[in-house]
Structure formats: C-alpha cells, structure tokens
Amino acid sequence: MMIMLSGAKGCDSQQPSNKNELPVVKTTSQAWSGGAAGSGRGMYYTIYLIMNNTDDYTFDSLWVQGKRFAVTRKPSNSPMDTVVLSVTDATNRFPQKADSSGTIQTPDTINFPIETSGEGVLGYHYKGSQEYYVIKNWIKLKPIFYP
C-alpha cells in the first residue's frame, strides 16, 4: 500500500502547483561559431516546456547575460504536449564601427526585470497577466563549430 501511495505522489510532482506556473523540463545553452571570417559567433538558448500549445500563455522576452531577446516558439511535430522556445544571441557578425569621435559604442547592460540570482529570466503573459520564470542555470551543450 505504501508503494502505491508514494508512486502516485511522484506522478503529481510533475504538474505545476499553480495554474500559471510554467512546467519547464530543461533549459539549454549552446555556444556556436561560424567558420568563415566575419561570420560571427554566439549562443543558442532553448527552453523546453511540457504543456499543451494554448493561447493562455504568450512568451515574449528572455533576459540573459545583460541582454534582452525576443523569444521564438519553435514549430512542434507534437502540438499536444511540448512547447520549445528558442533565442539566438549573435555577436561579432559585423565589425564594430567607431562613431565620429572615434569611440566604439558598446550596448548598455540590461538588468533582469525582477530581483534574482538566476542565470536568466523568461518573461511571459498568462491570460493577459505579466509573469516571470527564473532560470536558475543552463545545461551547457557541446559547442557547434560551423565550417
């Protein structure tokens, strides 16, 4: 009897405790680099959620490493159970140019929209209400070196 009760409890733990809590399965980051001169380098960020594709959730922004990015929802072969969000951070695609005074402009650092010690923050709307999900850490995948 104890085994059956503990097994049922384990199954329920994968469901979010609140309706608007995100069921994030994993978050990955993967460095990439182009092979040709000037082709750039950067980072791919991917967020996997176990949930139905629904209009209740709208994903808009990802804050990571002092930058804010628009989030893209990848098309899914199985629209009933998985949502995959992605962001591509591309840098040094084109050489930086100096302004008229000879100074190279660097973009300002953008702070997280909420106070956290996590490595990223996902901004989304749940039924019209602004919410944030803190990404504690990224699973770092093997870098990609394009030819």
Side-chain angles (χ1 to χ4, degrees):
M1 183 72 159
M2 288 296 277
I3 294 172
M4 289 175 55
L5 290 176
S6 66
K9 192 181 233 183
C11 291
D12 290 341
S13 67
Q14 291 186 6
Q15 297 298 321
S17 59
N18 297 329
K19 287 276 189 198
N20 63 346
E21 185 177 318
L22 288 180
V24 174
V25 177
K26 70 178 176 178
T27 57
T28 65
S29 65
Q30 186 170 34
W32 61 271
S33 176
S39 61
R41 60 185 167 87
M43 189 74 71
Y44 294 128
Y45 296 100
T46 308
I47 302 166
Y48 299 87
L49 302 103
I50 297 296
M51 63 188 291
N52 293 333
N53 278 321
T54 174
D55 291 336
D56 288 348
Y57 290 92
T58 305
F59 301 96
D60 55 23
S61 299
L62 176 68
W63 288 264
V64 63
Q65 298 210 359
K67 299 177 186 176
R68 180 181 181 188
F69 301 98
V71 176
T72 303
R73 184 184 290 208
K74 287 187 174 181
S76 175
N77 294 336
S78 177
M80 297 306 291
D81 65 356
T82 305
V83 172
V84 179
L85 307 174
S86 68
V87 166
T88 300
D89 176 10
T91 55
N92 293 338
R93 212 174 250 186
F94 304 103
Q96 292 180 340
K97 294 183 180 179
D99 64 11
S100 60
S101 68
T103 306
I104 294 178
Q105 297 295 322
T106 57
D108 293 333
T109 299
I110 299 173
N111 296 325
F112 290 147
I114 58 173
E115 191 68 33
T116 180
S117 61
E119 292 184 6
V121 174
L122 175 65
Y124 66 98
H125 294 271
Y126 176 71
K127 294 185 177 181
S129 174
Q130 179 68 56
E131 304 286 339
Y132 298 103
Y133 178 83
V134 175
I135 298 166
K136 292 180 182 137
N137 56 14
W138 298 94
I139 298 169
K140 292 173 181 41
L141 303 178
K142 183 177 177 182
I144 298 172
F145 300 104
Y146 292 109

